[in-house]
Amino acid sequence: MNKGVLQVSVPFVIYFNNYNPKQRKNTMWLGCLLCVASPIGGAYAKTPYQLVICLGPLYGIGAGMLFAPSMSFIAEWFDKRKSLAYGFMSGMGGLSGAILPPIFEVCLDRYGHKATLIGMAIAVFILTAFGLFFVTSRVPDDNPPKPKRSDFDFLRKPLFWVLLTATAAQGLAHYMPSLYLPSYAIDMGLLSAQGSLLVSLINLAQAIGQPLQGLLADSRESFYPPMIISTFGSGLETFLIWGFSHNLWSLAIYSFLYGGTAGGYAVLVPRFATGIVGNDKNKEQSLLIFGILMAMRGSAIFASGFIVATQLDESAKVTSGYGAYKWLRVIIYTGSIMIVATLGALGFFIRPTWTFGRKPKETELVGETSEVGMR
């Protein structure tokens, strides 16, 4: 849940910071405090509902307030290697996802949930606060732009809607292996710890694959080849490997390959935004588009859990056939949606200058009392 909330909050934080760049650092400090308050609140939660609120939406909002300004700073400091920089930043998240679960499991068994969550809060504050002291702007923040109607003229571009649809499709399938591989492994007769290992492998491969995908995207004028590798590749892996996997080694191979390919999609989203704008000059609009694409992806992640729940029959018999029968629909869903996301590559044939209708008149939004809809 917190990952979905994080992504949904991004465009709102970016829009605020675009026109208040001096507040970016303050926004990150506030996000840090929310991420610290989240596990502390969870430690003292009395009901499951309180625990979910603290570790879900609260942590997600705080993480979004850390993440969104970070993307603004990356856009300032990196030009030709922007995707690589974002790949390393995202890859660190994957690395923590591979390392932290075993640590949390040991701490929970030895110290209990209260001490573990308080320890998590202390670690988050120390590491995040230390990093924030080194975050600085590359350019002066003295003359921020003012909001204009043209900030949203990308809504009239076919390329935006094609890439938005592809990003939503990718989000609908991306986390399915991470969510269901542990249960699938147990049905295959594996231990619960081995199922958790598969998720760690996905995260580890993501930590490796995201910088490599970013490097590939930066080394080419077009981001569509790595996009196809990420979507079509992960869909093909799901059909050809997951469906036939009935032991630890085959599932481990699938987990590593899937994490390395599917995880790279998120690194490409900033390139999508730049491609929609058509140049690197309008940084504020590129960041806003990036935020909207991420919000759509986060919304799709929310929806995916409910959709797949309708495809899984917990009472179904486990067989030795493809997908163990019980998991057949989940595998078909994941592979098919990932391949559908590949259709976003059709954007290669759409120019960023193409728009629907006629161009609206340039008008500042500040102090405007008339209607603000598109004409």
Side-chain angles (χ1 to χ4, degrees):
M1 178 184 289
N2 54 29
K3 290 183 179 179
V5 172
L6 184 162
Q7 295 182 65
V8 170
S9 69
V10 167
F12 303 100
V13 180
I14 284 179
Y15 190 76
F16 172 78
N17 286 153
N18 273 348
Y19 305 108
N20 300 275
K22 290 185 178 181
Q23 300 301 320
R24 288 179 296 177
K25 195 80 172 284
N26 293 332
T27 301
M28 297 181 77
W29 276 110
L30 180 57
C32 172
L33 294 178
L34 288 177
C35 288
V36 171
S38 168
I40 292 177
Y44 292 95
K46 301 297 183 182
T47 65
Y49 177 78
Q50 293 173 347
L51 183 65
V52 169
I53 291 296
C54 288
L55 299 182
L58 182 60
Y59 193 89
I61 292 171
M65 296 176 75
L66 280 167
F67 173 75
S70 298
M71 292 305 302
S72 178
F73 285 117
I74 286 178
E76 284 186 4
W77 282 97
F78 296 90
D79 183 17
K80 295 183 178 180
R81 291 290 179 264
K82 189 182 301 182
S83 296
L84 178 61
Y86 181 41
F88 274 111
M89 188 178 79
S90 300
M92 290 302 100
L95 186 61
S96 65
I99 295 175
L100 292 180
I103 296 176
F104 281 139
E105 188 172 347
V106 171
C107 291
L108 287 170
D109 290 339
R110 183 172 298 181
Y111 305 110
H113 79 279
K114 188 173 183 178
T116 299
L117 288 172
I118 292 176
M120 172 185 170
I122 295 172
V124 167
F125 179 76
I126 292 174
L127 294 174
T128 306
F130 178 78
L132 284 176
F133 281 115
F134 296 94
V135 175
T136 183
S137 177
R138 185 179 184 180
V139 297
D141 298 330
D142 297 331
N143 297 305
K146 294 181 179 180
K148 305 179 295 294
R149 284 188 177 180
S150 61
D151 293 338
F152 296 92
D153 62 5
F154 59 84
L155 295 174
R156 301 169 55 251
K157 295 186 176 184
L159 182 58
F160 167 76
W161 293 103
V162 169
L163 294 175
L164 183 73
T165 302
T167 301
Q170 200 274 345
L172 286 172
H174 179 75
Y175 284 104
M176 293 304 102
S178 297
L179 289 174
Y180 290 106
L181 271 179
S183 299
Y184 182 89
I186 292 174
D187 283 346
M188 295 301 102
L190 302 179
L191 300 175
S192 176
Q194 292 173 319
S196 299
L197 175 64
L198 297 175
V199 178
S200 294
L201 277 175
I202 291 177
N203 290 323
L204 178 62
Q206 181 174 306
I208 298 171
Q210 286 185 325
L212 292 178
Q213 290 267 39
L215 180 63
L216 179 60
D218 285 333
S219 64
R220 305 179 64 90
E221 291 187 2
S222 173
F223 52 75
Y224 291 108
M227 177 187 185
I228 294 172
I229 291 173
S230 178
T231 53
F232 189 80
S234 56
L236 205 61
E237 292 156 7
T238 299
F239 282 129
L240 299 182
I241 303 178
W242 187 5
F244 293 103
S245 297
H246 296 88
N247 56 59
L248 178 61
W249 292 109
S250 56
L251 286 172
I253 291 172
Y254 169 71
S255 299
F256 195 80
L257 290 175
Y258 182 87
T261 52
Y265 189 93
V267 178
L268 304 176
V269 177
R271 287 291 304 275
F272 294 171
T274 303
I276 292 168
V277 173
N279 56 67
D280 290 322
K281 296 180 180 180
N282 195 338
K283 184 195 71 172
E284 288 78 19
Q285 190 177 62
S286 292
L287 286 169
L288 179 59
I289 294 172
F290 165 78
I292 292 175
L293 293 175
M294 293 298 290
M296 176 56 73
R297 190 167 183 262
S299 301
I301 290 170
F302 273 130
S304 64
F306 298 102
I307 295 173
V308 175
T310 65
Q311 303 299 311
L312 181 61
D313 184 3
E314 293 287 354
S315 63
K317 183 179 179 181
V318 176
T319 69
S320 59
Y322 183 84
Y325 181 70
K326 175 182 175 179
W327 298 93
L328 179 62
R329 290 185 177 182
V330 175
I331 292 171
I332 292 176
Y333 169 87
T334 304
S336 299
I337 297 298
M338 277 296 187
I339 290 177
V340 167
T342 307
L343 295 177
L346 293 174
F348 177 79
F349 304 101
I350 303 175
R351 295 180 182 178
T353 54
W354 292 357
T355 61
F356 300 114
R358 58 190 181 89
K359 188 175 181 180
K361 184 179 179 181
E362 181 81 359
T363 308
E364 290 186 1
L365 296 177
V366 177
E368 187 177 26
T369 57
S370 61
E371 63 176 0
V372 296
M374 290 287 184
R375 296 178 182 175

